[in-house]
Amino acid sequence: IVEKDRFQTLGDLRKQWTESGVETSRATVYRRVQEMGYRCRIPQVKPLLNQKQQKRLTWATEKQHWTVAQWSKREMPKCLKSSVKYPQSVMVWGAMSAAVNAASYQEILEHFMLPSAEKLYGDEDFIFQHDLAPAHSAKTTGKWFTDHGITVLNWPANSPDLNPIENLWDIVKRKLRDARPNTLDELMAAIDASWASITPQQCHRLIASMPRRTEAVISAKGFPTKY
């Protein structure tokens, strides 16, 4: 029964056994499952890929020999947009998500990304990375990058495991759990403090993980990885 469907819970197994005439407790089901060599685990939730895994595999193969130095020139800007509602919350723009259209996204790029890139890279070339959200993939957004002479990294769909900034968002969220802000101002301040506490060393380690991530995608033949 377990081999046919690995996503069944102990309650599901107990129900099937009961229907077949075997009365038992959930604890007994658990012990029997353990004795058979199985372990109960909560499955990781990964994006549904279908045919997209082939594009991920192609992408990873193309980037397989990129060096850490090449990955370190990928720009991931950050900015905050307030959203007043109850409970107090803000929407964070970046590789995570934000309710922006193409026009407002381009304004953010103009007013936040360009100054950030100039400060980080000066006159040096860099590669900008974002996902395939509608505002990012709009024709007008593509034209904005072309007009500004900025190279955009091609990006496979449904691939948060390839984006190390997701790990930074996770760090921020974990720190916010301890902060427990009560007002919008406190929440904004807590987010700023959490982001500021991320060290350059943490960023460097995440960038250095990119070669391993591409190798993991290749090993998984394009399917989701552990990242």
Side-chain angles (χ1 to χ4, degrees):
I1 293 174
V2 174
E3 286 291 344
K4 287 181 179 179
D5 184 1
R6 300 296 291 271
F7 293 102
Q8 293 185 98
T9 65
L10 292 175
D12 295 333
L13 293 175
R14 181 189 178 194
K15 181 179 178 181
Q16 291 189 56
W17 289 3
T18 301
E19 290 174 349
S20 65
V22 180
E23 290 290 342
T24 184
S25 67
R26 186 179 182 279
T28 300
V29 174
Y30 176 77
R31 287 196 299 272
R32 295 296 176 265
V33 168
Q34 294 278 313
E35 291 168 1
M36 295 179 204
Y38 295 106
R39 296 293 180 269
C40 297
R41 297 288 186 271
I42 298 175
Q44 286 189 315
V45 178
K46 295 287 185 177
L48 178 64
L49 291 175
N50 295 331
Q51 299 302 315
K52 294 175 183 176
Q53 69 264 20
Q54 185 58 45
K55 293 183 178 180
R56 280 165 50 87
L57 179 58
T58 301
W59 184 92
T61 303
E62 291 173 352
K63 307 296 186 292
Q64 184 177 11
H65 300 296
W66 274 30
T67 65
V68 173
Q70 286 175 292
W71 284 114
S72 67
K73 284 195 173 184
R74 188 182 65 163
E75 169 73 354
M76 302 176 196
K78 158 253 183 183
C79 89
L80 302 175
K81 179 181 179 182
S82 298
S83 175
V84 180
K85 54 186 173 182
Y86 183 84
Q88 298 287 2
S89 66
V90 294
M91 298 189 72
V92 181
W93 175 85
M96 190 162 61
S97 69
V100 297
N101 56 28
S104 58
Y105 180 58
Q106 290 157 38
E107 288 184 12
I108 292 172
L109 294 172
E110 189 80 36
H111 298 297
F112 293 94
M113 189 276 281
L114 288 182
S116 173
E118 184 176 354
K119 182 179 179 180
L120 286 170
Y121 305 114
D123 294 330
E124 292 185 38
D125 292 331
F126 66 93
I127 298 176
F128 185 86
Q129 182 269 322
H130 56 188
D131 59 23
L132 300 182
H136 302 175
S137 56
K139 289 183 179 180
T140 56
T141 299
K143 184 178 184 302
W144 185 94
F145 281 106
T146 300
D147 292 344
H148 286 78
I150 298 173
T151 301
V152 178
L153 180 69
N154 66 308
W155 194 253
N158 294 352
S159 298
D161 55 343
L162 288 171
N163 195 344
I165 203 173
E166 297 289 348
N167 300 89
L168 297 188
W169 295 131
D170 185 62
I171 292 172
V172 170
K173 287 189 289 185
R174 281 190 277 112
K175 289 179 179 292
L176 285 175
R177 292 193 191 106
D178 298 328
R180 298 183 181 280
N182 295 313
T183 67
L184 183 60
D185 288 341
E186 289 179 2
L187 178 58
M188 293 286 289
I191 292 175
D192 282 337
S194 298
W195 182 269
S197 70
I198 297 172
T199 66
Q201 290 74 22
Q202 286 175 297
C203 296
H204 291 318
R205 285 196 294 270
L206 289 173
I207 292 170
S209 72
M210 288 307 300
R212 297 193 299 274
R213 292 175 191 243
T214 55
E215 287 290 346
V217 171
I218 294 171
S219 298
K221 301 187 185 303
F223 284 95
T225 67
K226 67 177 183 179
Y227 291 98

